[in-house]
Amino acid sequence: MERQRAFFRSGATQGSSFRRHQLEAARALVDDNESRIHEALRADLGKSEFEAFVSETGQVRAEVNHTLSHFEEWMEVVGVGTPLSLFPSSSEIRYEPKGVCLLIAPWNYPFQLVMAPLVGALGAGNCAVVKPSELAPATATLTSELLGRYFSEDLVRVVTGGADTSQALLRERFDHIFFTGSPAVGKIVAKAAAEHLTPVTLELGGKSPAIVDETVDLRLSARRIAWSKYLNAGQTCIAPDYVLIPAHLAQDFETRLTEAIHRFYGADPKTSPDFARIVSDAHFDRVRGYLDEGRVVVGGETDRESRYIAPTVLAEAREGSRVLEEEIFGPVLPLIPYRSLDDAIEWTRRHPDPLALYVFSKSRERQERLLEAIPAGGSTINDALVQFSNLELPFGGRGGSGAGSYHGRFSFETFSHKRAIVRAATWIDPPVRYPPYRGKLRWLRKLLG
Ligand code: NAD
């Protein structure tokens, strides 16, 4: 940290050519090692190459390319207006790097969730200490090796380990902490950050609802919900956690979801090369436990040895059961029937503001009503997950699902300090502000209106 701090203070990271060089190194890291990265993701999570590309290496490449195309324009000093009271000064905003940033990552997209924040930190001219998740060890080891090879340790340093390592890092004073993980650990991070008054970005999770109404094409909605839920075996922070469905359509929707699952993964998803595995035994046991809390419509098969849990739809989950209270983070999708839209809205209010809300409705008026009634980090209408992949949009939560945002320009802003600068003129020095004030206030009021 001392070396990084000294390197940052030298000013070396600030210039645009240095930043460009680092961003190009990040791109080369992905391009040169894509197959090794995909192998590590398969070892940790049984991720198919398609999913590894779409949600990890391809996403990081998109983030780097977008940043490379725009960071110089984001770096530009922004001139802003100046009130008459400060005449004849000028005012501007400068985006300055914060310094040495700590990035703590989870295991579910273990490459992308290290690299995408890192691209933001480097594009904004910072140094970074990176703590990958110990629960995806193959990816953590590889990421550590590659970051060591493509970046100077003065700029990027990887520290591998678990909660103890993370807590040791959190005792240090950083200039920004970017944490992706669970709300419970988010609280620990926020408390540690408060000790040094360090700004934090919290990218957390929660129960993201999908609300379907009777105006939609049920088959299409079921396909999109099944895809977004079972991608990465449901271990996605913005996966639809549960579906609220009009009671009279529940049975039809069960059939549509079952069809979609069979079409995607075959009659026995265990043999599908496209369906991922649960990350650890502890998470397997946790998700496995949800299967007993309702009626299994489809799926329900498990194999502890390979940490396989079939893509499952659960109906009639018991009131107060864990599957309805905790973030599921696995391939189990509860269906909750509702009688009126107000009931559906009320249901979502049992939990903190979610990271995502998905509205499936053709009615513009309903879409607006639900967006207004249910605060969430982000939303997609008539689809799910895809709000994540548009780098023009901020990605982040609110309330219990996080604070702050990133991606594209929003990463740059997160990792920059906005410095306010007024340049005062010296050729004139109106005496009105100086004491003695007698007789000046009336004049000043007139001038300022
Ligand atoms: P986690 O909070 O258990 O771990 C995240 C990181 O924190 C890991 O690097 C871990 O080593 C570290 N950590 C764990 N316990 C700690 C402690 N006591 N003190 C300090 N550090 C500690 O989260 P996870 O299980 O890796 O990931 C799943 C969670 O992350 C879910 O809630 C999911 O919704 C959320 N998530 C959010 C996003 C997002 O972008 N908002 C993305 C992915 C995952």
Side-chain angles (χ1 to χ4, degrees):
M1 284 208 55
E2 275 165 24
R3 276 178 54 187
Q4 284 209 347
R5 205 164 284 291
F7 188 62
F8 180 73
R9 288 207 177 121
S10 76
T13 66
Q14 306 242 352
S16 64
S17 62
F18 180 87
R19 299 188 198 191
R20 177 169 293 282
H21 194 71
Q22 305 313 320
L23 292 168
E24 281 167 355
R27 183 162 60 188
L29 183 156
V30 181
D31 288 347
D32 302 348
N33 301 284
E34 191 175 82
S35 54
R36 285 185 71 200
I37 298 164
H38 290 177
E39 270 165 38
L41 292 165
R42 184 174 281 284
D44 286 331
L45 287 148
K47 236 175 238 206
S48 66
E49 189 175 10
F50 184 90
E51 287 191 7
F53 174 79
V54 167
S55 62
E56 305 247 15
T57 49
Q59 184 71 25
V60 174
R61 204 179 272 116
E63 188 78 51
V64 181
N65 288 340
H66 185 81
T67 308
L68 271 167
S69 308
H70 296 289
F71 80 99
E72 277 159 330
E73 128 214 352
W74 298 336
M75 282 173 73
E76 280 169 14
V77 172
V78 181
V80 295
T82 305
L84 188 61
S85 57
L86 299 183
F87 179 82
S89 315
S90 64
S91 306
E92 66 193 41
I93 303 167
R94 288 196 187 180
Y95 290 89
E96 298 183 341
K98 287 190 169 171
V100 179
C101 302
L102 174 63
L103 316 178
I104 302 179
W107 49 262
N108 59 332
Y109 292 90
F111 181 71
Q112 192 237 121
L113 294 175
V114 162
M115 291 299 293
L118 181 62
V119 167
L122 295 176
N126 297 278
C127 298
V129 173
V130 175
K131 215 295 279 165
S133 170
E134 71 283 12
L135 289 187
T139 313
T141 306
L142 180 63
T143 308
S144 174
E145 178 208 314
L146 296 178
L147 289 175
R149 186 135 55 82
Y150 284 76
F151 296 97
S152 146
E153 283 205 337
D154 292 343
L155 185 71
V156 179
R157 175 72 208 251
V158 183
V159 181
T160 51
D164 290 349
T165 308
S166 190
Q167 296 204 347
L169 286 168
L170 287 167
R171 281 193 284 277
E172 301 291 329
R173 193 184 69 73
F174 287 90
D175 301 302
H176 190 91
I177 298 175
F178 188 100
F179 172 78
T180 310
S182 60
V185 179
K187 287 182 191 169
I188 296 173
V189 171
K191 279 186 194 154
E195 209 44 54
H196 297 289
L197 293 178
T198 301
V200 269
T201 305
L202 298 173
E203 295 284 340
L204 311 177
K207 286 182 93 62
S208 296
I211 303 181
V212 178
D213 80 2
E214 58 277 8
T215 62
V216 298
D217 173 343
L218 270 195
R219 184 173 161 272
L220 179 74
S221 304
R223 277 166 73 88
R224 291 182 175 180
I225 288 173
W227 170 76
S228 54
K229 177 71 180 188
Y230 303 118
L231 181 95
N232 202 29
Q235 301 165 112
T236 303
C237 55
I238 47 172
D241 188 274
Y242 58 93
V243 179
L244 286 156
I245 179 91
H248 67 283
L249 295 179
Q251 211 172 354
D252 202 0
F253 197 62
E254 287 178 10
T255 312
R256 297 300 186 179
L257 281 171
T258 305
E259 279 167 13
I261 290 169
H262 287 155
R263 204 170 277 259
F264 294 169
Y265 305 110
D268 180 10
K270 195 172 176 209
T271 60
S272 163
D274 299 329
F275 186 69
R277 295 298 184 261
I278 305 298
V279 72
S280 70
D281 290 345
H283 280 287
F284 174 90
D285 293 339
R286 179 182 61 77
V287 179
R288 163 76 193 77
Y290 298 143
L291 301 177
D292 303 327
E293 297 186 324
R295 170 174 63 85
V296 171
V297 173
V298 57
E301 303 83 14
T302 64
D303 173 32
R304 195 167 195 276
E305 204 181 327
S306 58
R307 296 195 302 270
Y308 166 76
I309 296 180
T312 299
V313 175
L314 204 67
E316 296 151 33
R318 286 191 291 279
E319 188 67 22
S321 56
R322 288 179 309 119
V323 75
L324 296 185
E325 298 305 321
E326 299 172 354
E327 179 180 3
I328 295 170
F329 223 59
V332 179
L333 181 65
L335 299 185
I336 300 162
Y338 69 84
R339 303 252 163 235
S340 71
L341 216 52
D342 284 337
D343 291 346
I345 293 168
E346 210 41 55
W347 181 277
T348 66
R349 292 189 174 152
R350 297 155 57 127
H351 303 290
D353 294 348
L355 192 53
L357 165 73
Y358 302 115
V359 175
F360 289 79
S361 173
K362 283 188 184 159
S363 152
R364 186 73 191 217
E365 186 242 310
R366 296 260 182 87
Q367 295 169 5
E368 292 306 319
R369 184 160 161 226
L370 290 168
L371 289 176
E372 238 172 66
I374 306 169
S379 281
T380 296
I381 312 288
N382 289 320
D383 206 341
L385 302 193
V386 296
Q387 76 276 17
F388 183 88
S389 57
N390 182 353
L391 298 174
E392 301 288 343
L393 292 173
F395 181 76
R398 62 180 286 169
S401 57
S405 62
Y406 75 128
H407 284 182
R409 183 179 177 112
F410 303 97
S411 293
F412 182 83
E413 294 200 354
T414 285
F415 288 106
S416 298
H417 170 69
K418 290 193 263 313
R419 184 169 186 160
I421 299 173
V422 173
R423 281 178 205 281
T426 52
W427 57 268
I428 183 171
D429 193 27
V432 60
R433 67 168 149 163
Y434 298 123
Y437 299 129
R438 188 151 18 105
K440 291 180 178 171
L441 188 58
R442 245 184 56 209
W443 191 85
L444 194 66
R445 279 195 204 278
K446 257 198 194 131
L447 183 72
L448 299 181

